[in-house]
Amino acid sequence: MLECLGLDDRVERAYRLLLERPESAAALVTERLGLTPEDAAATLARLHALGLVEPLPDDRVRPVHPAIALPPLLARARRELRTEEQRLELAAAAAEELAAQVVQDAPPDSAETQINRGSAAALRCLEHITVTATQRLDALAAAGPAPGITDPTDYTPIIRFAVRLAERGVTLRVVMLDSINYLAPLVEGARRMRAAGVEIRTAPALPVWTLVVDDEYVVSALDPDDHTQGSLLVRTPGAVAAASELFERYWLTANPLDGEEPDRGGAPLTRAQKQLLVMVANGSKDETVARRFSVSTRTVRRMIADLYELADVSNRIQLVFRAAQLGWLDSSELDRL
């Protein structure tokens, strides 16, 4: 309890022990606390430096009364706290100045287009959105990490951006892929966002990462298949209207998070499983499926194994044949992707 005054647990226990024995041999600390002679000597030296004990003849020590010894330590701690608060205030002022400088150095709002080429520039754009968005943000979280996020396995940065926006009072709606249910970190991240007030739905497939910010501009991936290429920001009213309409179409047909329903065709499949089945039937390779679902090829193989178990088959040919028999597929769905 006295750590803030400079007493660690061992020193505090020694002080309390000595208070029970007003004049004690220094060896008492060694015996009662089970310390080595070296540790006991260091503990007594610390007590003496703090003004909590006074040495006596014959290798004895006397504890100074707490009402006398502790007030100076409290006063010093308060001075240090005030000094630290002043340092924090200066740091906060410097942080605000830097943030204002970054906003000032950003491309003018009047620029109709802005190419954020490369991951660093795309990440700077995401950070700018996090700081400056004021009303709403609609996002299509397509396959792969958001432009600017370099580690495809680490979803923490984009989740942190979303939570910070929500905490600032910005309304967020996000459509994610149904396949997040196969990725525990994404499921956990989605729940964290939802707990912060983000509205989340899921869809079987999405065309490209798209962000509509305050109904004023749109940010999308430069290359849907390679997000390291960066992002494109467009402010033209037509582009904003088109992106908003695209988002609304996906939002209206998407499922609530954790509320995925069976496919309307009557098969006991989720929409993600139906999408996977169509891709398998069309001969898509595991790598292609992985890119579409934003998962690893290992996860794709597990997803296909789940379909095998559901259809009671052991390979892809049998799966497609059995799916057709059960009415899970029809000819119009083949070669659709």
Side-chain angles (χ1 to χ4, degrees):
M1 289 187 290
L2 300 177
E3 186 175 1
C4 64
L5 301 183
L7 286 74
D8 61 22
D9 180 65
R10 186 173 67 189
V11 173
E12 181 177 344
R13 286 190 294 122
Y15 182 54
R16 291 177 179 273
L17 172 65
L18 293 172
L19 287 172
E20 298 172 2
R21 307 279 291 270
E23 292 187 11
S24 306
L28 177 69
V29 174
T30 304
E31 297 168 1
R32 294 286 296 274
L33 299 184
L35 303 178
T36 64
E38 293 78 9
D39 287 342
T43 299
L44 289 170
R46 181 60 178 164
L47 286 169
H48 184 260
L50 292 170
L52 297 174
V53 298
E54 293 178 348
L56 296 174
D58 301 326
D59 196 28
R60 293 178 299 123
V61 292
R62 182 184 72 83
V64 179
H65 194 285
I68 298 173
L70 294 182
L73 297 181
L74 285 166
R76 186 182 68 180
R78 290 192 179 100
R79 288 195 301 271
E80 292 174 350
L81 178 60
R82 285 195 294 270
T83 300
E84 188 62 24
E85 287 176 343
Q86 291 172 353
R87 291 176 57 197
L88 286 173
E89 289 175 1
L90 291 173
E96 291 180 2
E97 181 182 355
L98 285 172
Q101 184 64 45
V102 170
V103 172
Q104 181 178 348
D105 293 342
D109 290 348
S110 58
E112 289 189 342
T113 60
Q114 171 190 330
I115 298 178
N116 306 300
R117 200 171 298 282
S119 295
L123 179 58
R124 186 72 169 268
C125 180
L126 285 178
E127 292 174 336
H128 182 76
I129 292 171
T130 305
V131 173
T132 61
T134 59
Q135 297 179 349
R136 63 182 301 124
L137 186 147
D138 293 331
L140 297 179
I149 307 301
T150 55
D151 186 348
T153 65
D154 184 9
Y155 308 102
T156 305
I158 197 67
I159 293 168
R160 186 167 59 243
F161 289 154
V163 170
R164 182 173 179 183
L165 278 166
E167 289 176 345
R168 287 181 46 231
V170 177
T171 300
L172 269 79
R173 294 186 299 171
V174 181
V175 181
M176 306 179 75
L177 291 168
D178 288 341
S179 56
I180 70 165
N181 294 293
Y182 291 95
L183 298 170
L186 263 184
V187 173
E188 176 62 25
R191 288 172 179 163
R192 279 180 53 199
M193 290 190 291
R194 186 172 61 181
V198 181
E199 296 182 65
I200 300 175
R201 296 183 183 181
T202 64
L206 296 168
V208 63
W209 265 90
T210 304
L211 309 174
V212 184
V213 185
D214 289 335
D215 291 325
E216 293 180 358
Y217 62 92
V218 181
V219 175
S220 62
L222 278 177
D223 184 342
D225 297 322
D226 183 5
H227 292 175
T228 64
Q229 295 296 315
S231 63
L232 174 66
L233 185 153
V234 182
R235 296 184 182 278
T236 58
V240 173
S244 297
E245 176 67 19
L246 179 68
F247 175 85
E248 291 297 338
R249 287 178 180 271
Y250 277 98
W251 182 257
L252 290 174
T253 58
N255 286 319
L257 184 66
D258 296 334
E260 202 173 43
E261 299 176 353
D263 184 80
R264 289 182 172 82
L269 304 176
T270 66
R271 294 196 302 169
Q273 288 175 319
K274 183 61 175 291
Q275 183 81 1
L276 173 62
L277 179 60
V278 172
M279 295 189 76
V280 169
N282 286 333
S284 299
K285 295 181 178 180
D286 288 352
E287 292 77 9
T288 303
V289 178
R291 285 195 299 272
R292 174 62 65 88
F293 281 84
S294 193
V295 296
S296 67
T297 54
R298 180 179 179 181
T299 300
V300 168
R301 288 190 286 272
R302 180 165 61 85
M303 293 162 64
I304 294 175
D306 290 343
L307 287 179
Y308 289 168
E309 182 177 356
L310 193 60
D312 193 23
V313 298
S314 58
N315 59 56
R316 296 190 182 209
I317 294 176
Q318 292 176 353
L319 174 63
V320 174
F321 181 73
R322 182 61 176 159
Q325 284 184 324
L326 295 172
W328 296 356
L329 286 172
D330 59 59
S331 59
S332 65
E333 292 175 310
L334 301 179
D335 296 324
R336 186 176 64 183
L337 301 179

